[in-house]
Amino acid sequence: MEKSHTDKNQIQRTVHIIPLGFEVERALAPFSNRHIDKVILVVNNQELPGGETEAFPDKQKGYTEKVMARLKKKEIEVVEARSFDMGELIRVLSSLIRKEKDAGNSVSINTSSSGRFASIAAAFAGMAHDIDVYYVVADRYSKSEEEIVSHGVSRCTCSDPVVRVIPNFQLMLPE
């Protein structure tokens, strides 16, 4: 845990990496009753493969703005990274994890605030780098378009969320 020569504070910072899809509450719930220093949101800034929909980036932007605004209100540092391709996403997540671990920070990754694709990449990257990989349990799905826009696809109790750490399976990285 070597700190930079300019960092005088030797206390470990807590950093959470959140691949963000169409969720708000599942991205924010882990911070309702915990102190977090920094969140890195990993979002898609590209169209879906094959150009399936053009609304995707605009819809994603709305969720990203909501989550960022709420984190900043809590005075949590927010950094935005972008990716979508599976191989690239694993590389981006791994690079972010290594950078934060090299800075001496405690790093965790959320697998529940994005689609299945990004969740798998987050779990692989987190387990490969031996950090806490967690899942925020939803209480229910949003029932209306208004709820989806305000809260995300899923709803959860933000005041007392159920957050489960996924056991780390030992993954061997290729040489």
Side-chain angles (χ1 to χ4, degrees), residues 19 89-90 93 97 109-111 117-127 133:
L89 185 52
I90 292 173
L93 294 171
I97 291 166
I109 194 162
N110 185 334
T111 63
F117 183 81
S119 294
I120 292 166
F124 282 164
M127 288 180 188
V133 175

Side-chain angles (χ1 to χ4, degrees), residues 77-92:
E77 179 185 353
V78 180
V79 176
E80 193 176 355
R82 299 184 180 279
S83 186
F84 192 78
D85 171 74
M86 176 64 95
E88 179 63 18
L89 185 52
I90 292 173
R91 280 189 291 280
V92 166

Side-chain angles (χ1 to χ4, degrees), residues 8-61:
K8 296 177 186 173
N9 189 340
Q10 297 297 301
I11 297 174
Q12 198 174 45
R13 294 180 75 206
T14 55
V15 177
H16 284 241
I17 299 172
I18 304 175
L20 186 65
F22 298 160
E23 297 285 353
V24 175
E25 290 181 358
R26 289 173 103 183
L28 297 169
F31 317 125
S32 62
N33 56 6
R34 301 233 167 329
H35 170 76
I36 304 299
D37 294 303
K38 179 179 177 180
V39 169
I40 301 172
L41 294 178
V42 180
V43 298
N44 175 29
N45 67 339
Q46 305 166 7
E47 288 184 17
L48 290 172
E52 293 174 26
T53 177
E54 292 185 16
F56 185 79
D58 290 336
K59 194 171 186 180
Q60 175 67 61
K61 185 177 179 185

Side-chain angles (χ1 to χ4, degrees), residues 17 89-102 125 129:
I17 299 172
L89 185 52
I90 292 173
R91 280 189 291 280
V92 166
L93 294 171
S94 293
S95 174
L96 292 168
I97 291 166
R98 281 191 312 271
K99 178 182 174 191
E100 294 299 331
K101 284 181 77 171
D102 287 350
H129 295 284

